[in-house]
Amino acid sequence: MASLLEIDKLKTQFFTTAGVVKAVDGVSYTVDEGETVAVVGESGCGKSVTAMSILRLIPWPPGKITDGEIRFAGKDLLALSEEEMRNVRGKDISMIFQEPMTSLNPVLSIGMQLTETMLAHTDISEEDAHNRAVELLGMVGISEPERRLVQYPHHLSGGMRQRVMIAMALSCEPKLIIADEPTTALDVTIQAQILELMKNLTRDLGVALIIITHNLGVVARYADRVNVMYAGKIIESGTAADIYYRPHHPYTLALLKSVPRMDQQRQAKLDPVEGQPPDLTMLDEGCAFRPRCRFATTECAEGLPSLETVEGGHATACFNKDQVAATMKEAS
Amino acid sequence: MSPPNEAVAREDAQFRGVPTDDVLIDLKDLKMHFPVTEGVFIQSVIAHVKAVDGISFKIMKGETLGLVGESGCGKTTTGRCILKLEDPTSGEIIFHGQDLMNLDDKEMVEVRKKIQVIFQDPFSSLNPRMKIGEIIAEPMRVHNIVPDEEARNNRVVELLNTCGLKANFADRYPHEMSGGQRQRVGIARALAMNPEFIICDEAVSALDVSIQAQVVNLLEDLREEFGLTYLFISHDLSVVRHISHRVAVMYLGHMVELAECDELFDNPLHPYTRALLEAVPIPDPDLENGRAHQIIKGEIPSPINPPSGCVFHPRCPSAHDGCKKEFPEFREVKPGHWVACTEV
């Protein structure tokens, strides 16, 4: 069975005065129907740009998708006209953004914003759209939905606004939702509520979910599969268990070691990756993680390791993957 | 005096560098109520935001006290009150035996040499028009600690090195640096005064995980090297568990629990602390699959009109009628473990 979404060797670049920023540099991954896939990485690794590329929301200038393919349910999204693309956005694929404060329109009522998408994409009557909006707000756990529909975003708390965003995302029964750091701006107890809600709704409605985050805990709790990104590339992918218990890339290993864990007594100092992420305008032939990597050899400077299968669906892009795996085993 | 077994307990890694039981800061029943006004020309006070509503704690010399809670719980306001950046409504702030509440602005200037702050946002807390060297030298110049310019520049280089930055960073501007590097500048500036006490207000929250770990390690090294005391304000419970000796939990202006770090995380007693710990996802998929995920309902109420009695009762799974009447006493249920709940 073909996957719902297939991204193949996607390249998105930004042409700036400082040079060409290779924000996404040959990224490939797939999302099956009803599956939750996490994309993890630090600021500037290209995880959000990949998501924006799927919906073709990269602003030109300076950004442009320069190469690759994005197939959604058999359709080549990059070949669609702008008009056809508009029918995909919000209908087949919808998006939930990080900032519930800025992603809702402050001068439109909640009801207007909720029904707008439905009226634009489907033949629904205004009355049915209204009833559906009430139903959606109830589904995302907002009390007194009738009253909320006439309220404005500033009447709602951050958590409530994110619930409205989820209701909007679900309104046209999409097949895929892309959630870009959906809970980063929220408090922990509210974060847990929202994530649990998203998990239950996507499972009950059979919607696939791409969750973009930097929080390794969120990934462990909610993702079926994980893609780890660094400097515009996927450097490791696999099931959550592959990534957390059998990492084969030094960056994945380093990430896991640098997060303090709330469930463990502190044993020692944290073991951070030294140095900074690279400047994406100045990447060379070799592996981008090399300057910060404690497993680096001369081979790493000469060529770029490609994503190779370790076992089953677990793949990693590192020449020294066996040494990395051995280190992880020793440590545990 | 502490019992002898406590002294032994401090020998382990948790208590490295906590040498004494000297109290550095003693906060007694601190209250900060902000007036809410109405009217343009004739302003009248219509309500109060009870940001901090009667909290008390002590911080020992050389200790890191973690202060956790969600937005609006009053943790930042508490930090600002200690520095008297706010004018607290009532209470006592005893620092070195002196009540800061009684000091005037001029006397506070002297105190602020010893108490420094590291802020959350490394982008807005550095002046974009000043070079890094000037930013770090400014407090020494203002307080006239190192009057000689050359000596001051040498001290800047020394501080940069201490914080893991190269000397040539002194000639750069903030926009030329990454978030992690800017946070190191913020730390260097705080250290310039040779402070005794540093309030870290979400000091690592804006940083990426790999950079966050570097800065956490730096803060720990500095505490040991210079015998510093930290009030570590954060919403990130994982970092707090890693860095703190003791942890205090706040909710809606009140302190609900206070205990030694491991005790609080392994044996939380207050329903809110339990809910908070349950909500934090742990980076371990198998463990996550096995967790109950009992998620607390509802949102944080407004501090203008907080619930009666125990402020947590509308969200509390074990609340009863008595909880609506009176805020429970903050009492010591085990040695060193304080909690404000009648049901414990």
Side-chain angles (χ1 to χ4, degrees), chain A residues 46-110:
Chain A
K47 54 191 194 301
S48 295
V49 177
T50 311
M52 300 294 259
S53 302
I54 298 172
L55 285 172
R56 290 194 14 211
L57 291 172
I58 304 293
W60 167 260
K64 201 174 180 184
I65 298 173
T66 54
D67 202 5
E69 274 183 54
I70 302 171
R71 283 183 301 276
F72 176 75
K75 265 185 292 191
D76 182 359
L77 293 187
L78 297 184
L80 296 184
S81 69
E82 188 48 42
E83 185 64 36
E84 290 166 320
M85 194 61 213
R86 220 179 290 152
N87 288 328
V88 173
R89 290 185 200 123
K91 185 164 190 300
D92 296 328
I93 307 176
S94 53
M95 190 145 182
I96 298 168
F97 297 95
Q98 170 172 0
E99 287 285 339
M101 315 292 157
T102 53
S103 42
L104 289 174
N105 188 333
V107 298
L108 290 183
S109 69
I110 302 299

Side-chain angles (χ1 to χ4, degrees), chain A residues 42-43 157 160 187 189 193 217 220-221 245 260-262 264-266 268-270 272-273 275-276 292, chain B residues 14 16 70-71 178 208 210 214 217 220-221 238 241-242 278 281 284 286 288 291 293 296 298-299:
Chain A
E42 298 181 279
S43 322
S157 67
M160 282 289 177
D187 275 315
T189 57
Q193 290 172 0
R221 191 178 280 191
Y245 304 128
R261 283 182 56 162
M262 197 203 67
Q264 286 176 354
Q265 294 196 2
R266 65 169 282 175
K269 280 262 165 68
L270 296 174
V273 211
Q276 308 280 335
R292 305 173 77 187
Chain B
Q14 272 289 316
R16 253 179 313 157
E70 299 181 277
S71 336
S178 69
D208 269 319
S210 70
Q214 293 174 7
N217 279 352
E220 289 189 281
D221 290 340
S238 310
R241 168 145 213 188
H242 181 84
E278 189 58 50
D284 189 331
D286 287 352
E288 277 298 334
R291 284 176 95 194
H293 298 168
I296 179 181
E299 309 211 2

Side-chain angles (χ1 to χ4, degrees), chain A residues 260, chain B residues 64-68 232-248 261 264-265:
Chain B
T64 301
L65 179 73
L67 189 57
V68 299
F232 194 85
I233 300 170
S234 179
H235 69 277
D236 186 333
L237 291 144
S238 310
V239 174
V240 167
R241 168 145 213 188
H242 181 84
I243 206 167
S244 308
H245 298 113
R246 286 187 306 143
V247 178
C261 187
L264 186 105
F265 282 93

Side-chain angles (χ1 to χ4, degrees), chain B residues 39-245:
Chain B
V40 181
F41 298 109
I42 306 160
Q43 295 206 330
S44 58
V45 175
I46 53 165
H48 281 95
V49 175
K50 295 176 180 170
V52 177
D53 201 18
I55 65 166
S56 310
F57 60 76
K58 288 179 182 151
I59 306 177
M60 306 296 171
K61 200 166 162 38
E63 168 184 60
T64 301
L65 179 73
L67 189 57
V68 299
E70 299 181 277
S71 336
C73 73
K75 52 192 195 302
T76 294
T77 307
T78 304
R80 291 176 60 88
C81 282
I82 292 176
L83 267 171
K84 287 207 27 204
L85 294 174
E86 308 292 353
D87 191 13
T89 312
S90 67
E92 287 174 44
I93 307 163
I94 317 272
F95 177 68
H96 276 301
Q98 196 178 22
D99 188 356
L100 303 188
M101 293 286 279
N102 300 332
L103 301 186
D104 59 26
D105 287 352
K106 215 171 160 188
E107 291 165 317
M108 267 314 287
V109 170
E110 286 303 307
V111 173
R112 291 199 186 110
K113 288 181 188 173
K114 298 187 194 121
I115 308 180
Q116 290 286 309
V117 200
I118 301 167
F119 296 99
Q120 168 170 9
D121 189 353
F123 294 85
S124 60
S125 55
L126 303 179
N127 186 336
R129 290 168 182 238
M130 284 168 81
K131 286 182 181 172
I132 299 304
E134 292 165 352
I135 290 174
I136 298 173
E138 194 183 25
M140 296 187 270
R141 189 169 52 77
V142 170
H143 288 290
N144 212 13
I145 292 193
V146 187
D148 176 49
E149 192 174 340
E150 203 185 317
R152 209 155 57 214
N153 290 339
N154 290 338
R155 173 96 175 116
V156 167
V157 170
E158 191 187 308
L159 287 163
L160 283 171
N161 288 333
T162 310
C163 294
L165 296 170
K166 294 195 191 87
N168 62 9
F169 275 88
D171 292 323
R172 295 198 191 178
Y173 286 95
H175 74 264
E176 296 172 81
M177 309 178 84
S178 69
Q181 288 168 336
R182 286 183 219 206
Q183 203 56 306
R184 287 173 191 269
V185 172
I187 296 170
R189 176 175 61 185
L191 287 177
M193 304 301 296
N194 288 320
E196 293 174 42
F197 179 51
I198 299 183
I199 298 170
C200 306
D201 190 359
E202 301 277 11
V204 299
S205 304
L207 306 175
D208 269 319
V209 272
S210 70
I211 307 299
Q212 183 180 61
Q214 293 174 7
V215 176
V216 166
N217 279 352
L218 173 66
L219 286 171
E220 289 189 281
D221 290 340
L222 294 174
R223 188 182 56 78
E224 281 170 32
E225 192 177 339
F226 300 108
L228 297 170
T229 304
Y230 292 145
L231 177 63
F232 194 85
I233 300 170
S234 179
H235 69 277
D236 186 333
L237 291 144
S238 310
V239 174
V240 167
R241 168 145 213 188
H242 181 84
I243 206 167
S244 308
H245 298 113

